[in-house]
Structures are given as structure tokens and as C-alpha cells.
């Protein structure tokens, strides 16, 4: 392919005063498989770039492995690799495997052809904006310049509150998917109908003939002041190269606005253990984007390129696609579980507004809560397995907001009892993105789907609490604390909402049931004697228990305080605990006995802090609750010491409680308290 223009890969020479820095973006995504991170980031970017988020038609995506099975011949591939061989040869990039290193040493990377993977979208905006822009310091229009943010920024993002991404690091997955850490982008823009071509390579700092070069390189044409620019099809000199590229790599969606990414030498088997595959991508797509697929906002085609027909994943085909995947036989990742989840999503989408219960406050122990009666009335429908829908309202406020007022927000929560489940399954969706690292309702045999719509200020707050991979909500992250007023309390309310509502719905009927156990015990109908007056105050041992030595006479600081509440107790951190807060607390409870160790005398028939069959009502903030080894033991992961509080009620008022709480991880102290 002859060209009259100077198209090649270029890496900027570094001056002597520049710091040597190698890219570290990979470290933010190491906890996910390559199929998961590629599917999550590619689809997230395409959904964020939708032409109109409220549009009736879906965003369409295509993953094609045809180029893996039919590599581009060497003669055709050479122009797309010009200028890249020497940087690859001198780079220390970890992904350069032996087979490619051998080709580099012979200075013929295209020998034997170039395999490639194609990722495309359609019905999106494409990379619009001024492609000559290189800085946004004095240009507010940079926020809307998708080309600028995609190619000329790392760790910075121009995305708004309605978008799923925000860190500016997710695009790292595209060079990471290549064994030569490079990709080529071809975009057709909705704004001006122009088609642009540009490549990017992210290697390491490398030295060629004594000259250092920065890690980031570009395939394009030189502009003014050493700025590399894309090829534009409206330029007659550029058009042949652009059109040839579209044909060589079989880009099928570039007759309409959108973005195509060409991944040369993709990380596929057998060269890579952590390999990209059609089945792996399909599994990741279904698991992470089930909601927009079922809602009709996304359609994905995966072409394995091995003579089998492409797989279409849409709202109408997702069930059949799941049945063809290699999934677990049981549990959350089984075909049966997915089928029930999809049914729950479809039913939730079809629910009319009148079927929602609006809540301004989650249920607690306050009998004066005006919404309590309405929630009590839902216990019977819940036990019958009906789908319950809630709109939970609240407010959030940004720091520095000149309006100095809170913004109203809401999230939607769907709950359904399912006695066939061995443990509860909960799913969380922000906008169109599934947040996978949540597992809060295991002890409840129920389904929970929590959804926060994009454009909602709460969605923006939650996004700011997520790591770069957007896999969890972390109330204590620096970014969310810097941008929002009191975010921990609001995020914790969202995280605890499914458990709080399930605890309330599964509570035993209130009031005295005179016929309970009548088939086992005789009762003459007489009213029970009134309970003994509760003792005032809390009996406390004179010295803290030393969990390290077992000695009870060793004085040390006390991190936890235990206070009596009606039919239960409350655990908080003391001032000493706030100075250097423990990461986890181990809580044990038993009824007091005349002599001996109450904790060793605990029996499951007394009560259960976790699991089924109990009448206790826990509530908490600033922590996550996990089951302990026995029914009277819990582990409290403390993620917000200032807000930390754990309360549980429902114990027998006629018996005294023995409460033990200790710092489980630091082993700082333990408190034995009689209550």
C-alpha cells in the first residue's frame, strides 16, 4: 500500500531533565480476568458514548476474532507497523513474549502475518471534538472533546455525572489486550461525519541510539509543534490509507457513527495463559451487562471467527446464550440462577409506578416511623414470594456547591423471597454497569436487585466511591470524601438497604401469639407474669481482658463501649478507639449464668445472631457484618470509625446479657461486659 504521506509510529524524544516513568495503569485492573476487564471497559465506554442516553434504539457492539484465524498477510500489515519495531525491541514491556521478541530481532514483525481482534460500536457519537487540542487548562470545551480525552490524557476524565466511567484509566485495557501493547482506532463522528484514524502504543521508557523516548507512541501524521495528528478521510491525501485500513481489518460498522478498535497480536491462546476468548467475553458480557441487555439498551455480537455463526446477545436471546456457556452447576454463576435473575429484571422493568412503595427512611426500631405500618403490611406478600419494589428517597450535596442545598436522589430496590435458594443473591447496578463485589444477604433466602439510574446525583456519588475498575462502592475513598458532604452515611444506607428491609420483612409477627406451641406445651390461658425490672447500668469487669496473654489483670486502653438499649445492646468505638481504630471487631454474646463462662454455655436455641430461625433485629452503620463461627458470634468490618455503631434488639428481657467485643485484627483489646 503506497502512500504519499508520512504515516508511521512515533515516540516523543525525552529531554535530559525529564523523569523516567513507566505506565502503571495495569495495577488498577489486576484483580480481574482479561475477558472481564475488556468486556466491562469496552462496553462501558460505548454506552457512555451513546448518541442519546434516552434513545429508544440500543447501542450495538461487535467483537470479532476472524483476524485471529485469518491474520493479515505481511505485505498488507507492514504499513500499520512502520516505526514500531525498534521501540518494541528496546522496550521492557512485560507483554512482549518470546515469539514476538524473535520476530523483532529479525526486524520483521509482520513475518507470517499479523493476527488481530476487532472491537466496534455503532449508534454512538464516535470520538468527536477538536483533534488538534492538547490541553484543557483554559478551554472549558475540553469536557466535550471525546477525541482529546481518549488519546491525550491518562488518569484524567472529561466524563459527566451521567457516565459510567470517571477515572480516565479504563482505556488501558485496549493496549493491554495486545501482546505488543498497541491498538489502532478508526472513528466516524456523528458531529461532522468525518472518519479519523489514529493508533496508540503504551510501552515503557526506552532508549534507541542513545536517545530516550517516552512510553506513549502514536500512529499518525506530524502536525505543528511536534503534535501527532490523526488521518482524516476528508483530506484527499489521507483518504486512501483510511479506506484501506477499514477494508484490511474488515471493519463492518464504519458506515455509521461509532468507534472501531483494532488490537494487533491479541492475547489469545495458546500464547497466553490469561487469554481472550469468545466464550470468555460472552460470559463476562452476560454477567456484567445483563441489565442494559434485558432493558434493550445494548446488543452485542461475538464472532469467534472459527466458521461457527456469530452469537447475538440481545434482550430476546440472552437466555439461550447463557444455556450455551460453560457455567457452574449451581450457585450464583449457574444457568438456573441467571434465568431467575433475568426474570426478576424483566418483571422489575415492567412494574408500573403504582406498584412501588416509597420510603423516605429505612425501617428501624422506631415505632413512630410513619412508614412502619405500610412495611408491616408487606410481610405477608413477601412470605408468599411476591416481588416487592421500593423507591428509597434521600438527599446528597456536593462540597463547594454554591447553591448550598441538598439534591434529591432515589434508588430502586426489588426484593423477592425464594426458599429454593441455599443463600441470598444480591445484584447492584449503577446506570448500566453492574457492581459485582457485593454479597450482603447470604443468610436470607431471597433475591435483591438494587438499581441507581444514571443522571441521579446519588449515581455520581457512588461512582466517585468506586476504584478504577468500578467493581465496588467504598465510602472511605479519598475522592468521594473530597467531593461530597458526609458521603459515608449515604453510601452506607444504600449498601445496607437490602439487609435492613429483609430483616424487617422476615421478622416474626409482632405481639403475643397465645396459641404458639399449643400442640407441644399446655397453657391454661393465664397471662404471663410481668418481667422483672431491668437492672440499671451495666456491670463491667474492673479490668479489660487481654486477648493476647489471657490475663484479666492487665490494664490497657479500651476501644469499644457497650451500652444497654431496650431488649438488647449497642456497640460503639470509644475516644481511644477513634485515635487508631481497629479494622475489625469480633462480637460474642450469651445469656449470663450463675457460674462459669457464659460464652461456653451458649446454646443455639437461646438465640442466633445470624442465620435463620431468630427473632433478633440488628442495625448498624459504619461497618459490614459477617457471620462468625457460631450463632452467637459476628465479625464487624469497620469501614467508617466515626459512624460505627452496631445495635441488636429482641433478646429475652428477663435475662441478663454477657457481651464480649474485641479488635479481631489488631488484637488491641477485648471487653467483657455484663448487660
Amino acid at each position: 500500500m503506497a502512500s504519499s504521506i508520512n504515516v508511521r509510529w512515533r515516540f516523543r524524544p525525552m529531554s535530559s531533565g525529564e523523569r523516567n516513568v513507566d505506565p502503571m495503569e495495569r495495577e488498577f485492573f489486576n484483580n480481574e480476568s482479561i475477558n472481564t476487564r475488556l468486556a466491562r471497559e469496552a462496553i462501558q465506554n460505548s454506552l457512555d458514548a451513546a448518541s442519546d442516553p434516552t434513545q429508544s434504539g440500543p447501542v450495538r457492539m461487535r467483537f470479532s476474532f476472524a483476524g485471529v484465524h485469518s491474520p493479515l498477510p505481511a505485505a498488507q500489515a507492514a504499513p500499520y507497523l512502520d516505526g514500531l519495531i525498534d521501540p518494541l525491541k528496546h522496550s521492557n514491556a512485560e507483554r512482549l513474549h518470546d515469539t514476538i521478541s524473535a520476530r523483532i530481532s529479525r526486524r520483521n514483525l509482520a513475518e507470517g502475518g499479523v493476527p488481530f481482534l476487532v472491537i466496534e460500536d455503532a449508534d454512538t457519537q464516535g470520538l468527536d471534538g477538536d483533534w488538534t487540542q492538547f490541553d484543557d487548562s483554559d478551554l472549558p470545551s475540553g469536557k466535550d472533546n471525546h477525541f482529546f480525552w481518549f488519546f491525550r490524557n491518562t488518569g484524567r476524565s472529561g466524563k459527566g455525572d451521567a457516565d459510567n466511567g470517571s477515572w480516565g484509566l479504563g482505556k488501558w485495557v485496549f493496549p493491554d489486550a495486545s501482546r505488543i501493547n498497541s491498538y489502532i482506532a478508526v472513528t466516524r463522528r456523528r458531529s461532522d461525519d468525518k472518519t479519523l484514524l489514529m493508533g496508540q502504543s503504551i510501552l515503557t521508557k526506552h532508549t534507541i541510539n542513545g536517545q530516550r523516548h517516552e512510553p506513549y507512541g502514536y500512529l499518525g501524521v506530524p502536525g505543528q509543534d511536534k503534535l501527532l495528528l490523526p488521518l482524516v478521510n476528508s483530506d484527499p491525501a489521507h483518504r486512501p490509507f483510511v479506506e484501506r485500513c477499514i477494508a484490511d481489518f474488515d471493519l463492518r460498522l464504519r458506515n455509521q457513527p461509532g468507534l472501531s478498535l483494532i488490537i494487533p497480536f491479541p492475547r489469545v491462546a495458546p500464547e497466553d495463559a490469561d487469554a481472550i476468548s469468545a466464550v470468555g467475553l460472552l460470559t463476562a458480557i452476560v454477567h456484567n451487562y445483563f441489565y442494559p441487555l434485558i432493558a434493550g439498551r445494548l446488543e452485542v455480537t461475538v464472532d469467534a471467527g472459527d466458521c461457527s455463526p456469530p452469537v447475538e446477545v440481545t434482550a430476546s436471546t440472552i437466555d439461550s446464550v447463557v444455556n450455551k456457556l460453560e457455567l457452574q452447576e449451581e450457585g450464583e454463576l449457574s444457568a438456573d440462577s441467571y434465568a431467575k435473575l433475568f426474570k426478576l429484571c424483566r418483571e422489575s422493568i415492567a412494574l408500573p409506578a403504582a406498584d412501588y412503595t416509597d420510603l423516605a427512611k429505612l425501617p428501624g426500631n422506631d415505632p413512630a416511623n410513619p412508614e412502619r405500618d405500610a412495611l408491616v403490611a408487606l410481610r405477608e406478600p413477601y412470605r408468599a414470594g411476591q416481588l416487592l419494589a421500593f423507591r428509597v428517597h434521600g438527599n446528597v450535596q456536593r462540597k463547594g456547591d454554591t447553591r448550598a442545598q441538598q439534591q434529591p436522589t432515589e434508588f430502586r430496590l426489588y426484593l423477592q423471597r425464594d426458599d429454593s435458594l441455599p443463600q441470598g443473591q444480591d445484584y447492584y447496578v449503577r446506570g448500566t454497569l453492574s457492581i459485582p463485589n457485593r454479597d450482603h444477604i447470604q443468610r436470607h433466602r431471597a433475591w435483591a436487585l438494587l438499581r441507581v439510574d444514571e443522571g441521579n446525583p446519588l449515581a455520581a456519588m457512588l461512582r466517585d466511591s468506586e476504584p478504577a475498575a468500578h467493581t465496588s462502592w467504598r465510602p472511605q475513598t479519598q475522592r468521594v470524601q473530597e467531593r461530597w458532604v458526609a458521603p459515608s452515611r449515604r453510601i452506607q444506607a444504600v449498601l445496607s438497604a437490602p439487609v435492613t428491609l429483609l430483616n424487617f420483612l422476615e421478622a416474626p409477627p409482632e405481639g403475643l401469639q397465645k396459641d404458639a406451641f399449643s400442640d407441644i406445651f399446655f397453657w391454661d390461658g393465664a397471662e404471663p407474669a410481668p418481667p422483672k425490672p431491668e437492672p440499671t447500668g451495666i456491670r463491667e469487669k474492673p479490668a479489660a481482658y487481654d486477648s493476647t496473654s489471657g490475663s484479666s489483670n492487665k490494664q490497657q486502653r479500651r476501644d469499644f463501649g457497650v451500652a444497654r438499649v431496650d431488649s438488647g445492646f449497642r456497640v460503639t468505638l470509644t475516644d481511644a478507639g477513634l485515635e487508631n481504630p481497629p479494622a475489625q471487631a469480633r462480637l460474642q454474646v450469651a445469656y449470663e449464668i450463675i457460674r462459669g463462662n457464659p460464652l461456653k454455655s451458649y446454646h443455639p436455641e437461646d438465640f442466633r445472631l445470624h442465620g435463620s430461625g431468630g427473632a433478633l433485629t440488628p442495625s448498624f452503620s459504619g461497618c459490614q457484618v459477617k457471620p462468625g463461627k457460631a450463632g452467637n458470634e459476628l465479625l464487624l468490618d469497620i469501614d467508617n470509625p466515626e459512624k460505627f455503631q452496631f445495635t441488636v434488639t429482641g433478646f429475652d428481657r428477663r435475662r441478663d446479657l454477657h457481651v464480649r467485643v474485641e479488635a479481631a485484627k489488631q488484637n488491641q483489646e477485648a471487653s467483657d461486659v455484663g448487660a
Side-chain angles (χ1 to χ4, degrees), residues 504-635:
F504 188 89
L505 293 169
E506 294 178 359
E510 299 179 0
L512 180 64
Q513 292 182 282
K514 297 184 178 182
D515 58 348
F517 303 105
S518 60
D519 56 338
I520 302 176
F521 302 105
F522 172 75
W523 183 40
D524 60 7
E527 294 293 335
K532 296 185 298 182
E534 296 187 21
T536 58
I538 296 177
R539 300 199 310 276
E540 183 171 328
K541 292 186 176 182
Y545 180 85
D546 182 357
S547 62
T548 302
S549 66
S551 171
S552 61
N553 59 9
K554 181 178 180 179
Q555 297 287 346
Q556 59 183 44
R557 78 174 203 173
R558 185 183 299 277
D559 284 347
F560 297 97
V562 181
R564 178 188 301 279
V565 299
D566 182 37
S567 74
F569 62 91
R570 176 178 294 117
V571 178
T572 56
L573 282 167
T574 65
D575 290 341
L578 289 173
E579 294 175 0
N580 182 22
Q584 188 182 70
R586 179 171 177 253
L587 173 70
Q588 294 175 291
V589 187
Y591 286 122
E592 286 280 13
I593 56 178
I594 295 177
R595 62 173 57 89
N597 188 330
L599 297 175
K600 292 183 178 180
S601 300
Y602 163 77
H603 193 280
E605 292 183 2
D606 291 341
F607 59 83
R608 290 179 183 271
L609 289 176
H610 57 84
S612 59
L616 302 181
T617 303
S619 61
F620 53 89
S621 62
C623 68
Q624 302 295 320
V625 180
K626 299 178 180 178
K629 295 180 180 179
N632 69 329
E633 180 179 324
L634 292 174
L635 297 176

Side-chain angles (χ1 to χ4, degrees), residues 288-311:
N288 290 279
Y289 288 98
F290 59 86
Y291 190 83
L293 284 163
I294 291 173
R297 297 180 57 181
L298 174 67
E299 293 181 354
V300 183
T301 300
V302 178
D303 183 357
D306 56 0
C307 298
S308 60
V311 178

